[in-house]
mmCIF file of all heavy atoms in Angstrom:
data_model
loop_
_atom_site.group_PDB
_atom_site.id
_atom_site.type_symbol
_atom_site.label_atom_id
_atom_site.label_comp_id
_atom_site.label_asym_id
_atom_site.label_seq_id
_atom_site.Cartn_x
_atom_site.Cartn_y
_atom_site.Cartn_z
ATOM 1 N N VAL A 218 -17.347 4.577 -12.814
ATOM 2 C CA VAL A 218 -17.025 4.916 -11.421
ATOM 3 C C VAL A 218 -15.944 5.994 -11.332
ATOM 4 O O VAL A 218 -16.023 6.910 -10.506
ATOM 5 C CB VAL A 218 -16.678 3.644 -10.597
ATOM 6 C CG1 VAL A 218 -15.383 2.992 -11.036
ATOM 7 C CG2 VAL A 218 -16.637 3.956 -9.114
ATOM 8 N N LEU A 219 -14.946 5.938 -12.218
ATOM 9 C CA LEU A 219 -13.855 6.922 -12.130
ATOM 10 C C LEU A 219 -14.308 8.330 -12.512
ATOM 11 O O LEU A 219 -13.758 9.315 -12.044
ATOM 12 C CB LEU A 219 -12.672 6.507 -13.019
ATOM 13 C CG LEU A 219 -11.841 5.326 -12.551
ATOM 14 C CD1 LEU A 219 -10.753 5.002 -13.563
ATOM 15 C CD2 LEU A 219 -11.199 5.590 -11.181
ATOM 16 N N SER A 220 -15.330 8.400 -13.378
ATOM 17 C CA SER A 220 -15.769 9.732 -13.825
ATOM 18 C C SER A 220 -17.059 10.173 -13.131
ATOM 19 O O SER A 220 -17.695 11.132 -13.561
ATOM 20 C CB SER A 220 -15.948 9.737 -15.348
ATOM 21 O OG SER A 220 -16.818 8.686 -15.712
ATOM 22 N N ALA A 221 -17.435 9.490 -12.052
ATOM 23 C CA ALA A 221 -18.655 9.877 -11.327
ATOM 24 C C ALA A 221 -18.494 11.277 -10.738
ATOM 25 O O ALA A 221 -17.399 11.657 -10.311
ATOM 26 C CB ALA A 221 -18.942 8.865 -10.223
ATOM 27 N N GLU A 222 -19.602 12.021 -10.737
ATOM 28 C CA GLU A 222 -19.556 13.369 -10.170
ATOM 29 C C GLU A 222 -19.746 13.250 -8.658
ATOM 30 O O GLU A 222 -20.850 12.988 -8.179
ATOM 31 C CB GLU A 222 -20.662 14.226 -10.791
ATOM 32 C CG GLU A 222 -20.404 15.686 -10.596
ATOM 33 C CD GLU A 222 -21.293 16.549 -11.469
ATOM 34 O OE1 GLU A 222 -21.937 16.038 -12.410
ATOM 35 O OE2 GLU A 222 -21.347 17.750 -11.171
ATOM 36 N N VAL A 223 -18.653 13.393 -7.934
ATOM 37 C CA VAL A 223 -18.675 13.120 -6.488
ATOM 38 C C VAL A 223 -17.788 14.106 -5.721
ATOM 39 O O VAL A 223 -17.002 14.846 -6.323
ATOM 40 C CB VAL A 223 -18.156 11.678 -6.194
ATOM 41 C CG1 VAL A 223 -19.170 10.622 -6.593
ATOM 42 C CG2 VAL A 223 -16.818 11.416 -6.871
ATOM 43 N N ASP A 224 -17.903 14.057 -4.400
ATOM 44 C CA ASP A 224 -16.992 14.839 -3.563
ATOM 45 C C ASP A 224 -15.667 14.106 -3.430
ATOM 46 O O ASP A 224 -14.609 14.721 -3.382
ATOM 47 C CB ASP A 224 -17.598 15.059 -2.180
ATOM 48 C CG ASP A 224 -18.894 15.832 -2.249
ATOM 49 O OD1 ASP A 224 -18.842 17.016 -2.613
ATOM 50 O OD2 ASP A 224 -19.961 15.240 -1.990
ATOM 51 N N VAL A 225 -15.747 12.764 -3.309
ATOM 52 C CA VAL A 225 -14.519 11.971 -3.126
ATOM 53 C C VAL A 225 -14.560 10.745 -4.025
ATOM 54 O O VAL A 225 -15.567 10.038 -4.075
ATOM 55 C CB VAL A 225 -14.368 11.475 -1.660
ATOM 56 C CG1 VAL A 225 -13.044 10.716 -1.483
ATOM 57 C CG2 VAL A 225 -14.443 12.628 -0.673
ATOM 58 N N LEU A 226 -13.436 10.492 -4.700
ATOM 59 C CA LEU A 226 -13.251 9.236 -5.414
ATOM 60 C C LEU A 226 -12.257 8.419 -4.601
ATOM 61 O O LEU A 226 -11.162 8.908 -4.276
ATOM 62 C CB LEU A 226 -12.699 9.502 -6.817
ATOM 63 C CG LEU A 226 -12.273 8.254 -7.599
ATOM 64 C CD1 LEU A 226 -13.467 7.351 -7.895
ATOM 65 C CD2 LEU A 226 -11.585 8.664 -8.904
ATOM 66 N N ALA A 227 -12.654 7.179 -4.239
ATOM 67 C CA ALA A 227 -11.799 6.325 -3.400
ATOM 68 C C ALA A 227 -11.418 5.049 -4.162
ATOM 69 O O ALA A 227 -12.170 4.063 -4.140
ATOM 70 C CB ALA A 227 -12.530 5.989 -2.098
ATOM 71 N N PRO A 228 -10.253 5.029 -4.829
ATOM 72 C CA PRO A 228 -9.840 3.802 -5.525
ATOM 73 C C PRO A 228 -9.365 2.747 -4.519
ATOM 74 O O PRO A 228 -8.399 2.972 -3.790
ATOM 75 C CB PRO A 228 -8.670 4.269 -6.415
ATOM 76 C CG PRO A 228 -8.722 5.774 -6.416
ATOM 77 C CD PRO A 228 -9.314 6.141 -5.078
ATOM 78 N N CYS A 229 -10.079 1.627 -4.480
ATOM 79 C CA CYS A 229 -9.742 0.549 -3.539
ATOM 80 C C CYS A 229 -9.611 -0.778 -4.283
ATOM 81 O O CYS A 229 -9.899 -1.840 -3.731
ATOM 82 C CB CYS A 229 -10.802 0.444 -2.442
ATOM 83 S SG CYS A 229 -10.888 1.912 -1.391
ATOM 84 N N ALA A 230 -9.218 -0.716 -5.567
ATOM 85 C CA ALA A 230 -8.998 -1.947 -6.337
ATOM 86 C C ALA A 230 -7.506 -2.016 -6.660
ATOM 87 O O ALA A 230 -6.690 -2.155 -5.750
ATOM 88 C CB ALA A 230 -9.874 -1.945 -7.582
ATOM 89 N N GLY A 231 -7.154 -1.897 -7.930
ATOM 90 C CA GLY A 231 -5.733 -2.002 -8.297
ATOM 91 C C GLY A 231 -5.055 -0.649 -8.382
ATOM 92 O O GLY A 231 -5.696 0.394 -8.235
ATOM 93 N N GLY A 232 -3.729 -0.687 -8.632
ATOM 94 C CA GLY A 232 -2.966 0.555 -8.762
ATOM 95 C C GLY A 232 -3.027 1.101 -10.178
ATOM 96 O O GLY A 232 -3.593 0.479 -11.080
ATOM 97 N N GLY A 233 -2.455 2.294 -10.356
ATOM 98 C CA GLY A 233 -2.304 2.879 -11.695
ATOM 99 C C GLY A 233 -3.592 3.300 -12.366
ATOM 100 O O GLY A 233 -3.617 3.514 -13.576
ATOM 101 N N VAL A 234 -4.692 3.458 -11.590
ATOM 102 C CA VAL A 234 -5.976 3.770 -12.247
ATOM 103 C C VAL A 234 -6.058 5.227 -12.708
ATOM 104 O O VAL A 234 -6.821 5.553 -13.609
ATOM 105 C CB VAL A 234 -7.210 3.438 -11.356
ATOM 106 C CG1 VAL A 234 -7.330 1.943 -11.164
ATOM 107 C CG2 VAL A 234 -7.160 4.143 -10.036
ATOM 108 N N VAL A 235 -5.267 6.099 -12.090
ATOM 109 C CA VAL A 235 -5.242 7.488 -12.569
ATOM 110 C C VAL A 235 -4.016 7.637 -13.471
ATOM 111 O O VAL A 235 -2.877 7.518 -13.032
ATOM 112 C CB VAL A 235 -5.188 8.490 -11.394
ATOM 113 C CG1 VAL A 235 -5.039 9.912 -11.907
ATOM 114 C CG2 VAL A 235 -6.440 8.352 -10.535
ATOM 115 N N ASP A 236 -4.295 7.830 -14.758
ATOM 116 C CA ASP A 236 -3.207 8.000 -15.722
ATOM 117 C C ASP A 236 -3.550 9.150 -16.675
ATOM 118 O O ASP A 236 -4.547 9.857 -16.461
ATOM 119 C CB ASP A 236 -2.936 6.680 -16.471
ATOM 120 C CG ASP A 236 -4.153 6.177 -17.232
ATOM 121 O OD1 ASP A 236 -5.069 6.981 -17.521
ATOM 122 O OD2 ASP A 236 -4.203 4.969 -17.531
ATOM 123 N N ASP A 237 -2.759 9.325 -17.721
ATOM 124 C CA ASP A 237 -2.996 10.435 -18.658
ATOM 125 C C ASP A 237 -4.397 10.392 -19.274
ATOM 126 O O ASP A 237 -4.970 11.418 -19.604
ATOM 127 C CB ASP A 237 -1.962 10.399 -19.797
ATOM 128 C CG ASP A 237 -0.587 10.786 -19.273
ATOM 129 O OD1 ASP A 237 -0.526 11.556 -18.296
ATOM 130 O OD2 ASP A 237 0.411 10.295 -19.834
ATOM 131 N N GLN A 238 -4.907 9.154 -19.457
ATOM 132 C CA GLN A 238 -6.213 8.998 -20.092
ATOM 133 C C GLN A 238 -7.354 9.294 -19.125
ATOM 134 O O GLN A 238 -8.329 9.943 -19.486
ATOM 135 C CB GLN A 238 -6.384 7.542 -20.573
ATOM 136 C CG GLN A 238 -6.304 7.364 -22.077
ATOM 137 C CD GLN A 238 -4.869 7.452 -22.553
ATOM 138 O OE1 GLN A 238 -4.050 6.678 -22.118
ATOM 139 N NE2 GLN A 238 -4.573 8.397 -23.431
ATOM 140 N N THR A 239 -7.231 8.779 -17.879
ATOM 141 C CA THR A 239 -8.366 8.900 -16.951
ATOM 142 C C THR A 239 -8.385 10.239 -16.216
ATOM 143 O O THR A 239 -9.459 10.729 -15.866
ATOM 144 C CB THR A 239 -8.349 7.751 -15.911
ATOM 145 O OG1 THR A 239 -7.077 7.724 -15.264
ATOM 146 C CG2 THR A 239 -8.616 6.407 -16.565
ATOM 147 N N LEU A 240 -7.218 10.826 -16.007
ATOM 148 C CA LEU A 240 -7.195 12.063 -15.196
ATOM 149 C C LEU A 240 -8.104 13.170 -15.750
ATOM 150 O O LEU A 240 -8.864 13.771 -14.991
ATOM 151 C CB LEU A 240 -5.749 12.559 -15.026
ATOM 152 C CG LEU A 240 -5.556 13.604 -13.936
ATOM 153 C CD1 LEU A 240 -4.267 13.383 -13.166
ATOM 154 C CD2 LEU A 240 -5.605 15.013 -14.471
ATOM 155 N N PRO A 241 -8.086 13.413 -17.072
ATOM 156 C CA PRO A 241 -8.973 14.485 -17.578
ATOM 157 C C PRO A 241 -10.454 14.176 -17.387
ATOM 158 O O PRO A 241 -11.280 15.084 -17.414
ATOM 159 C CB PRO A 241 -8.627 14.544 -19.076
ATOM 160 C CG PRO A 241 -7.331 13.825 -19.236
ATOM 161 C CD PRO A 241 -7.262 12.823 -18.129
ATOM 162 N N ARG A 242 -10.794 12.883 -17.167
ATOM 163 C CA ARG A 242 -12.210 12.510 -17.033
ATOM 164 C C ARG A 242 -12.707 12.564 -15.589
ATOM 165 O O ARG A 242 -13.895 12.377 -15.330
ATOM 166 C CB ARG A 242 -12.440 11.104 -17.594
ATOM 167 C CG ARG A 242 -12.235 11.030 -19.122
ATOM 168 C CD ARG A 242 -12.374 9.604 -19.660
ATOM 169 N NE ARG A 242 -13.247 8.765 -18.847
ATOM 170 C CZ ARG A 242 -12.959 7.526 -18.454
ATOM 171 N NH1 ARG A 242 -11.817 6.968 -18.804
ATOM 172 N NH2 ARG A 242 -13.801 6.843 -17.706
ATOM 173 N N LEU A 243 -11.791 12.783 -14.635
ATOM 174 C CA LEU A 243 -12.220 12.799 -13.227
ATOM 175 C C LEU A 243 -13.167 13.974 -12.981
ATOM 176 O O LEU A 243 -12.930 15.083 -13.465
ATOM 177 C CB LEU A 243 -11.006 12.927 -12.290
ATOM 178 C CG LEU A 243 -9.945 11.825 -12.320
ATOM 179 C CD1 LEU A 243 -8.846 12.138 -11.306
ATOM 180 C CD2 LEU A 243 -10.555 10.456 -12.043
ATOM 181 N N ARG A 244 -14.270 13.700 -12.256
ATOM 182 C CA ARG A 244 -15.186 14.797 -11.891
ATOM 183 C C ARG A 244 -15.385 14.786 -10.377
ATOM 184 O O ARG A 244 -16.497 14.903 -9.868
ATOM 185 C CB ARG A 244 -16.522 14.621 -12.623
ATOM 186 C CG ARG A 244 -16.390 14.963 -14.111
ATOM 187 C CD ARG A 244 -17.751 15.098 -14.751
ATOM 188 N NE ARG A 244 -18.493 13.854 -14.693
ATOM 189 C CZ ARG A 244 -19.816 13.766 -14.829
ATOM 190 N NH1 ARG A 244 -20.547 14.844 -14.989
ATOM 191 N NH2 ARG A 244 -20.415 12.588 -14.773
ATOM 192 N N THR A 245 -14.274 14.622 -9.654
ATOM 193 C CA THR A 245 -14.339 14.562 -8.201
ATOM 194 C C THR A 245 -13.619 15.771 -7.618
ATOM 195 O O THR A 245 -12.762 16.375 -8.278
ATOM 196 C CB THR A 245 -13.696 13.263 -7.682
ATOM 197 O OG1 THR A 245 -13.833 13.217 -6.263
ATOM 198 C CG2 THR A 245 -12.205 13.161 -8.035
ATOM 199 N N THR A 246 -13.970 16.101 -6.381
ATOM 200 C CA THR A 246 -13.291 17.207 -5.712
ATOM 201 C C THR A 246 -12.046 16.702 -5.003
ATOM 202 O O THR A 246 -11.072 17.424 -4.852
ATOM 203 C CB THR A 246 -14.244 17.851 -4.666
ATOM 204 O OG1 THR A 246 -15.531 17.936 -5.248
ATOM 205 C CG2 THR A 246 -13.782 19.228 -4.274
ATOM 206 N N ALA A 247 -12.097 15.423 -4.549
ATOM 207 C CA ALA A 247 -10.947 14.872 -3.819
ATOM 208 C C ALA A 247 -10.676 13.438 -4.257
ATOM 209 O O ALA A 247 -11.587 12.728 -4.687
ATOM 210 C CB ALA A 247 -11.211 14.920 -2.315
ATOM 211 N N LEU A 248 -9.406 13.029 -4.146
ATOM 212 C CA LEU A 248 -8.991 11.674 -4.508
ATOM 213 C C LEU A 248 -8.259 11.064 -3.313
ATOM 214 O O LEU A 248 -7.169 11.526 -2.950
ATOM 215 C CB LEU A 248 -8.064 11.740 -5.720
ATOM 216 C CG LEU A 248 -7.432 10.425 -6.187
ATOM 217 C CD1 LEU A 248 -8.478 9.508 -6.804
ATOM 218 C CD2 LEU A 248 -6.322 10.702 -7.203
ATOM 219 N N VAL A 249 -8.880 10.074 -2.671
ATOM 220 C CA VAL A 249 -8.290 9.426 -1.490
ATOM 221 C C VAL A 249 -8.700 7.965 -1.482
ATOM 222 O O VAL A 249 -9.889 7.673 -1.419
ATOM 223 C CB VAL A 249 -8.832 10.036 -0.167
ATOM 224 C CG1 VAL A 249 -8.064 9.476 1.029
ATOM 225 C CG2 VAL A 249 -8.804 11.548 -0.172
ATOM 226 N N GLY A 250 -7.728 7.044 -1.563
ATOM 227 C CA GLY A 250 -8.118 5.644 -1.570
ATOM 228 C C GLY A 250 -7.085 4.741 -0.936
ATOM 229 O O GLY A 250 -6.073 5.210 -0.400
ATOM 230 N N ALA A 251 -7.350 3.429 -1.022
ATOM 231 C CA ALA A 251 -6.460 2.448 -0.405
ATOM 232 C C ALA A 251 -5.463 1.853 -1.387
ATOM 233 O O ALA A 251 -4.417 1.362 -0.986
ATOM 234 C CB ALA A 251 -7.283 1.302 0.202
ATOM 235 N N ALA A 252 -5.791 1.849 -2.676
ATOM 236 C CA ALA A 252 -4.949 1.157 -3.656
ATOM 237 C C ALA A 252 -3.534 1.737 -3.658
ATOM 238 O O ALA A 252 -3.366 2.963 -3.658
ATOM 239 C CB ALA A 252 -5.563 1.255 -5.038
ATOM 240 N N ASN A 253 -2.542 0.854 -3.649
ATOM 241 C CA ASN A 253 -1.147 1.295 -3.724
ATOM 242 C C ASN A 253 -0.848 1.831 -5.118
ATOM 243 O O ASN A 253 -1.350 1.306 -6.098
ATOM 244 C CB ASN A 253 -0.209 0.116 -3.443
ATOM 245 C CG ASN A 253 -0.189 -0.244 -1.976
ATOM 246 O OD1 ASN A 253 -0.049 0.626 -1.110
ATOM 247 N ND2 ASN A 253 -0.339 -1.527 -1.677
ATOM 248 N N ASN A 254 -0.026 2.853 -5.184
ATOM 249 C CA ASN A 254 0.364 3.456 -6.478
ATOM 250 C C ASN A 254 -0.860 3.777 -7.347
ATOM 251 O O ASN A 254 -0.953 3.350 -8.494
ATOM 252 C CB ASN A 254 1.317 2.541 -7.258
ATOM 253 C CG ASN A 254 2.551 2.178 -6.443
ATOM 254 O OD1 ASN A 254 2.958 2.942 -5.564
ATOM 255 N ND2 ASN A 254 3.129 1.028 -6.704
ATOM 256 N N VAL A 255 -1.786 4.553 -6.774
ATOM 257 C CA VAL A 255 -3.001 4.967 -7.499
ATOM 258 C C VAL A 255 -2.631 5.742 -8.768
ATOM 259 O O VAL A 255 -3.246 5.572 -9.815
ATOM 260 C CB VAL A 255 -3.885 5.874 -6.609
ATOM 261 C CG1 VAL A 255 -5.014 6.479 -7.419
ATOM 262 C CG2 VAL A 255 -4.452 5.076 -5.454
ATOM 263 N N LEU A 256 -1.613 6.602 -8.640
ATOM 264 C CA LEU A 256 -1.177 7.381 -9.801
ATOM 265 C C LEU A 256 -0.206 6.529 -10.610
ATOM 266 O O LEU A 256 0.738 5.966 -10.054
ATOM 267 C CB LEU A 256 -0.465 8.668 -9.351
ATOM 268 C CG LEU A 256 -1.217 9.562 -8.358
ATOM 269 C CD1 LEU A 256 -0.416 10.832 -8.084
ATOM 270 C CD2 LEU A 256 -2.600 9.914 -8.887
ATOM 271 N N SER A 257 -0.421 6.453 -11.927
ATOM 272 C CA SER A 257 0.467 5.617 -12.744
ATOM 273 C C SER A 257 1.866 6.233 -12.781
ATOM 274 O O SER A 257 2.842 5.532 -13.030
ATOM 275 C CB SER A 257 -0.104 5.435 -14.139
ATOM 276 O OG SER A 257 -0.109 6.661 -14.808
#
Side-chain angles (χ1 to χ4, degrees):
V218 68
L219 288 178
S220 54
E222 198 166 347
V223 287
D224 299 293
V225 183
L226 172 65
C229 296
V234 293
V235 175
D236 59 20
D237 289 331
Q238 253 76 59
T239 54
L240 195 141
R242 293 176 27 227
L243 299 181
R244 287 193 298 160
T245 183
T246 318
L248 175 70
V249 188
N253 286 312
N254 304 333
V255 171
L256 307 184
S257 66

